[in-house]
Amino acid sequence: MTRSNPPSGLWKPTHLERLYYGPSSVHDNLVSCLPSSSSKAFIITGSSLATKTPLIQQVEKLLTSKHHAGTFSNIKQHAPVAQLDEATDAVQKDSSIDTIISIGGGSPIDSAKAISYRTHEKSNKYLYHIAIPTTLSAAECTMGAGYTAADGKKTGVGGPELVPNVIIYDAKFALETPQRLWLSTGIRSLDHAVELLYHPKAAEAPAKSLVLSAIEGLFTYLPKSKAEPKNEDYITRLQLASFNSLFPIGLDMGGGLGLSHAMGYALGSPYGIPHGITSCISLAGVVRLKAENPEDAAQVARALPYIGQSKSGDDKKDALKVADAIEKLVKDLGLESRLKDYNVGSDQVSVVAKTATKSESGPLYDGVAKIVESKL
């Protein structure tokens, strides 16, 4: 087990081939990332990036008609299955397409993974995936692809082959991201990192070393990025912190990340709440719950020196300090949110608690219900 003393464990890396980062890295590297000189690529993105920024046109121009097979720009928040179906049909009509390029946040990236999965089901081949993230959600780091079914519930597919082959973090692309979305997805990355600390299957190396680095980077650079949103150095450092928050999950985890993420799925697509905001709502409260468990508290307490505070030696008190620091960071970034702003009333407390805990009573159910009530 990874929590044994001395530690032992296993970490299985993904098939990620390249990670480019820095301003203009899309311009400098995109074409060379294609799997062959004759590759045809299909772009998956959202309408805002396609219509309100020059980014998609820039990528299409880089690809030229030689490599650009088409663009689907109607992926919506939480990746509704209707748009996913449309995009999949568009890709499957052209058998020459061997590459998919996702540009945007978690919804386009997850949609591209799901399209690759569906393509394999039909033709027994996965698409080569190049991810160009414009948020800090870190969807590009995992083998899971979440989308919203017709009944409004989040579902998904997964497998090692769905991990993107190439990730390009380009600060100039992130410059186009609205600040609230940018900062809130930074808290989503913090959610990944904190939950990996106490995840029972998270490997000590390199996972926990990397997520501690991610926590330090996010606490350091999110406030700086809020103050100077056009600073490309801060953007790049946050992109790398986002990568460190979730790439260490590797291939040997299984199941969900943790309770805060379970709450995020219970609150996200059913109520139309962005996942960055669900993390702002849930994470500090979940950490306070985790502080009641000695093993979890000890793991959370490890973060304290990385956020500029000294450990007292009392794991529970130190874990509660981490929760307080998370709450303060959310407030300082202007991301405090109430569920009533998303039309979530007191009648939904039991629904959310049941969905998040997969139970109808007990200490965990009560704890989640209490968090939800406090955020109404």
Side-chain angles (χ1 to χ4, degrees), residues 97-113:
I97 294 171
D98 64 354
T99 301
I100 195 160
I101 299 174
S102 57
I103 307 173
S107 294
I109 294 170
D110 276 6
S111 294
K113 295 180 201 173

Side-chain angles (χ1 to χ4, degrees), residues 269-290:
S269 53
Y271 303 99
I273 306 176
H275 276 315
I277 298 300
T278 67
S279 291
C280 294
I281 289 168
S282 65
L283 183 56
V286 168
V287 170
R288 291 191 177 100
L289 285 181
K290 293 293 180 180

